[in-house]
Amino acid sequence: MKHAKGRSELKYAVTKADCHLLRRNLQFVMQPDPHVMKDGKYLIRSVYFDNLENKALNQKKEGLKHRDKYRARLYNYKTDFIQLEKKSKQNDITYKEKCQMTAMEYERVRLGDIKWMENNSRKLIRELYVQMTLYQIKPTTVVDYEREVFTYEYGNVRVTFDSEVRTSLRNIDFLNPELPMVPALDPNIVILEVKYDEFLPDIIKQLLQVGDTMRTSSSKYQLSRNYV
C-alpha cells in the first residue's frame, strides 16, 4: 500500500430533513455524479466477505488502525459489471484496490469453487484466494442502499448520501435482484460520507455545517450485521 494514494473519509448520521438542506446547499457549488438515474441516485449492492469468527466485523468494532475488508459490488442490479474491492484502513487513511470479476466467477466463489483463483492473472483475485484459504473468509451478507453523489474538483472531494440501507442477513445470492432484504437502519437516517485527498476546502466545510450531524464510526456492513 505504500505506493497507493489514500483518502480521508468522514462519516456522519443525519436526518432526511437535514439531508434535504445539505443537498440544497451543495448543489450550488458541487457537481452531481453523471452516472445517477433520473431520481438523482443509483443503487449499490455489495456482498461482504468474513469468516465464522467475524474477523472483519470485530476489527471494525475494535477500531483497529490497520484492517482490510473484501467485498464484491454491482450497481443498479446489473451483473455485467462487478468489481471486487479490497478496502484498507491505515491510521485513519483509506486505501482501495479494485478489479473486475464476472458473475460466473462470483457464483463459483459463492459455491466454494476457488482453486481457479490461486494463479489468476489478477492480483486481487489471488490475494482473496489466500485470505479465503488461510482465514476461511467467504461471502457473508449482502447490503443494498441508494446513493446520491456530489463532487468537487479541488481536493478531489466526494460527498455521498446513502439511504434505505438494507441487508440480506445470511443470504448471499448476490446476483438475484429479487433477493429478500430487510431494513438495517432507521429509514429517517441517512449516512453522509465526505471523502477527500490532501485537504477539505473551507467552502465544503461551511456547506456541511447544517443541523444535527453526528459523527459515526459504523459502516454499512457493521449495520447489516447487527441483525445476525
Side-chain angles (χ1 to χ4, degrees):
M1 300 302 296
K2 64 181 180 179
H3 300 298
K5 186 174 183 179
R7 283 164 63 79
S8 296
E9 287 190 7
L10 306 173
K11 292 185 181 181
Y12 302 90
V14 302
T15 65
K16 283 192 172 180
D18 284 339
C19 177
H20 176 76
L21 294 174
L22 288 164
R23 182 189 301 113
R24 188 184 64 184
N25 287 349
L26 293 173
Q27 66 185 1
F28 294 110
V29 175
M30 303 186 75
Q31 299 297 316
D33 190 305
H35 300 104
V36 296
M37 306 292 279
K38 288 183 179 179
D39 62 356
K41 303 177 182 179
Y42 54 84
L43 179 129
I44 295 177
R45 166 169 285 185
S46 299
V47 59
Y48 290 88
F49 288 70
D50 213 337
N51 61 14
L52 291 176
E53 287 75 39
N54 295 319
K55 175 176 176 283
L57 179 63
N58 290 331
Q59 287 182 349
K60 171 63 178 174
K61 286 182 175 180
E62 293 165 9
L64 296 187
K65 291 294 184 181
H66 301 272
R67 59 183 187 270
D68 299 320
K69 180 166 60 182
Y70 296 84
R71 67 191 179 200
R73 173 168 285 189
L74 56 77
Y75 301 87
N76 298 322
Y77 300 120
K78 295 180 179 178
T79 61
D80 56 344
F81 181 79
I82 299 172
Q83 285 194 142
L84 175 65
E85 300 182 351
K86 173 186 175 183
K87 188 173 183 180
S88 303
K89 199 83 169 183
Q90 296 188 15
N91 295 321
D92 297 323
I93 300 296
T94 300
Y95 300 85
K96 277 187 185 179
E97 295 180 66
K98 303 177 183 180
C99 75
Q100 282 189 245
M101 71 184 308
T102 67
M104 184 176 293
E105 286 173 339
Y106 172 75
E107 278 298 285
R108 293 180 72 178
V109 170
R110 182 174 75 89
L111 296 173
D113 174 14
I114 63 172
K115 187 63 178 176
W116 61 273
M117 303 167 65
E118 183 176 11
N119 298 306
N120 193 268
S121 61
R122 288 158 292 178
K123 173 179 174 292
L124 194 53
I125 293 284
R126 298 195 306 271
E127 185 176 319
L128 180 60
Y129 172 80
V130 172
Q131 293 291 318
M132 295 184 75
T133 303
L134 289 183
Y135 299 106
Q136 301 299 301
I137 69 170
K138 61 183 180 179
T140 298
T141 191
V142 176
V143 178
D144 283 353
Y145 54 94
E146 296 176 6
R147 168 164 285 182
E148 185 174 7
V149 183
F150 292 92
T151 62
Y152 189 72
E153 177 183 2
Y154 303 103
N156 191 23
V157 181
R158 186 175 174 88
V159 175
T160 62
F161 297 99
D162 295 338
S163 57
E164 309 300 331
V165 182
R166 301 178 295 277
T167 176
S168 69
L169 302 179
R170 285 286 187 174
N171 193 327
I172 56 171
D173 194 6
F174 174 62
L175 305 177
N176 179 9
E178 303 300 325
L179 179 65
M181 307 290 285
V182 299
L185 182 66
D186 182 333
N188 189 48
I189 298 298
V190 176
I191 302 298
L192 163 67
E193 296 187 7
V194 184
K195 306 172 186 180
Y196 57 95
D197 289 350
E198 289 84 4
F199 68 98
L200 182 62
D202 288 340
I203 188 170
I204 305 301
K205 290 180 185 177
Q206 294 167 7
L207 291 173
L208 291 172
Q209 292 176 2
V210 171
D212 238 350
T213 55
M214 184 185 333
R215 186 86 182 267
T216 179
S217 61
S218 295
S219 68
K220 287 174 281 291
Y221 173 56
Q222 184 177 344
L223 288 170
S224 75
R225 294 299 306 281
N226 287 339
Y227 289 77
V228 181

